[in-house]
Amino acid sequence: MDPFLQAAIDEARTGLNEGGIPIGSVIVHGERILGRGHNRRVQKGSTVLHGEMDAFENAGRQSARVYRECVLYTTLSPCPMCSGAILLYGIPKIIVGENKTFMGEEDLLRSRGVKVEVLQDETCIALMREFIAARPGLWNEDIGV
């Protein structure tokens, strides 16, 4: 398995173990993880700490040039908010673990020149399917239903 996808999955599992939503993300520059994060809306009482947003926060201030050379890995297709951050910082490529349980703004990202690769990784799918079955109310809250 790709070590960066595995790092995102590890983040998702950390979030689940903390009582949150199992979505993880890492931002990679070259062969180095700049930022890693997981959905911490529950843990922090936050409206915005999705996995990708947490990874951006943990990457800290980077020049636009650095972000334009990064790849963002996420276990789940990015929502409108996270897609906006991807576009804002000029991330040119994202690797998505899966989009079967939730289809985010992949078409928008592609229309703006972002390369989107969807893996349909069985671990990512199972994490989300099990979580949604166990905690549908929390999942619906997270996606704004």
Side-chain angles (χ1 to χ4, degrees):
M1 173 177 288
D2 182 308
F4 299 123
L5 179 62
Q6 185 61 57
I9 291 169
D10 292 344
E11 286 291 326
R13 286 187 174 130
T14 296
L16 183 63
N17 291 337
E18 294 172 352
I21 299 162
I23 303 168
S25 182
V26 296
I27 300 170
V28 178
H29 184 255
E31 291 299 310
R32 183 172 75 90
I33 295 175
L34 287 183
R36 59 177 61 230
H38 53 275
N39 187 305
R40 295 191 305 152
R41 290 185 66 251
V42 172
Q43 300 91 313
K44 295 289 186 179
S46 172
T47 58
V48 297
L49 278 181
H50 283 189
E52 299 91 338
M53 301 301 281
D54 194 37
F56 275 115
E57 180 71 14
N58 292 323
R61 276 179 72 191
Q62 303 291 330
S63 74
R65 178 194 58 78
V66 169
Y67 279 125
R68 285 192 303 265
E69 296 172 349
C70 287
V71 176
L72 183 142
Y73 288 74
T74 182
T75 58
L76 187 65
S77 187
C79 76
M81 174 180 64
C82 296
S83 295
I86 290 164
L87 294 173
L88 178 67
Y89 291 107
I91 302 289
K93 180 178 179 180
I94 67 169
I95 308 291
V96 176
E98 67 104 348
N99 65 8
K100 289 184 180 217
T101 60
F102 177 78
M103 173 59 78
E105 297 297 323
E106 295 173 22
D107 288 342
L108 170 66
L109 291 167
R110 287 184 182 105
S111 78
R112 298 283 298 275
V114 177
K115 183 176 181 192
V116 178
E117 184 178 333
V118 181
L119 302 178
Q120 303 304 13
D121 178 81
E122 290 301 321
T123 300
C124 295
I125 294 167
L127 269 170
M128 286 309 301
R129 283 190 175 154
E130 291 166 14
F131 173 78
I132 291 167
R135 307 280 311 270
L138 184 54
W139 172 240
N140 288 336
E141 174 190 319
D142 192 64
I143 61 170
V145 173

